[in-house]
Amino acid sequence: SIIPLQMKNTKTTLAGVGAILIAIGGALKATFDGDPTTNLDIAATIAAVTAGIGLILAKDASEKKPE
């Protein structure tokens, strides 16, 4: 499943969700702001959403204690 059932790391998951929400919010604002000179940057939107998905699915490094 692409959606994790359990958060692996809360901070990383929240950063990913935040990145996706900001990307979508920026795209919606550019689309519906009523200013014809504003253009939607689809490449930046896709890149930000992809980064957000990567953060959500990321497995953070675990600290190993020296032996």
Side-chain angles (χ1 to χ4, degrees):
S1 166
I2 198 165
I3 300 173
L5 298 176
Q6 180 179 355
M7 284 194 267
K8 295 175 183 165
N9 183 297
T10 305
K11 293 176 186 174
T12 307
T13 301
L14 290 176
V17 170
I20 293 170
L21 291 175
I22 289 172
I24 293 173
L28 290 173
K29 182 179 181 284
T31 303
F32 297 111
D33 67 352
D35 184 2
T37 61
T38 305
N39 294 322
L40 171 63
D41 188 356
I42 193 70
T45 302
I46 291 171
V49 169
T50 303
I53 291 170
L55 283 169
I56 290 171
L57 298 177
K59 179 180 177 187
D60 292 334
S62 60
E63 293 182 16
K64 293 186 178 182
K65 296 180 183 178
E67 295 180 17

